[in-house]
Amino acid sequence: MGYEFDSNIPIYLQLRHYFRMQIVSGQLAPGERMPPVREIAVQYGINPNTVQRALTELEEDGLAYSQRTAGRFITEDRDRIAQMRQILAKETVDTFIKDIRPFGFSLDDIIDVMKSQWSDDNASS
């Protein structure tokens, strides 16, 4: 799972975001067992406490849950996953708007660019 961490953002937040994306995209399925903390830590070359913090926050987000002796699992609450998908989309759009606004484009200009890019991306897929 080659993932490069940004040194300007706490690793636990990046790991939490990565797992959120995996869950809302369906790459981690509802009810699927997550790898153990130590396995994730070794895989990414990070401290197990950092992994534990990220996974604890996933639980606080309602996207994962722990079973005492069986490990940690992805929530089976599809409504919660759909809510998180909307939250992540809104966060992404908010960032995009903040980044693009200084260029002085109109909304129509941005929509045209997005439609064009969407078409180009779909054609190459």
Side-chain angles (χ1 to χ4, degrees):
M1 276 198 241
Y3 189 85
E4 288 190 33
F5 293 104
D6 180 338
S7 61
N8 297 315
I9 302 170
I11 292 174
Y12 81 94
L13 290 175
Q14 294 176 71
L15 192 60
R16 181 183 79 171
H17 180 75
Y18 174 78
F19 280 117
R20 282 173 155 187
M21 296 300 291
Q22 295 285 304
I23 294 166
V24 302
S25 69
Q27 293 178 31
L28 289 174
E32 183 176 338
R33 186 177 186 273
M34 295 186 74
V37 168
R38 292 197 189 285
E39 185 179 316
I40 295 169
V42 168
Q43 183 174 6
Y44 292 102
I46 57 179
N47 187 304
N49 292 330
T50 300
V51 175
Q52 183 62 41
R53 184 169 180 186
L55 297 181
T56 297
E57 290 202 7
L58 273 183
E59 288 185 26
E60 290 170 1
D61 290 339
L63 295 176
Y65 63 93
S66 294
Q67 287 188 341
R68 191 169 174 97
T69 58
R72 187 174 274 117
F73 296 83
I74 304 302
T75 184
E76 294 181 44
D77 183 348
R78 293 178 191 276
D79 289 338
R80 181 63 191 132
I81 293 171
Q83 287 174 336
M84 182 55 66
R85 186 170 187 238
Q86 290 299 315
I87 289 168
L88 292 175
K90 183 185 178 315
E91 288 174 358
T92 301
V93 169
D94 287 348
T95 299
F96 172 74
I97 290 170
K98 180 181 150 210
D99 290 347
I100 202 73
R101 191 166 268 150
F103 295 124
F105 289 106
S106 71
L107 179 58
D108 289 336
D109 291 338
I110 295 301
I111 290 170
D112 289 343
V113 169
M114 290 178 69
K115 283 180 181 178
S116 174
Q117 193 64 32
W118 187 275
S119 297
D120 290 349
D121 285 352
N122 285 335
S124 64
S125 296

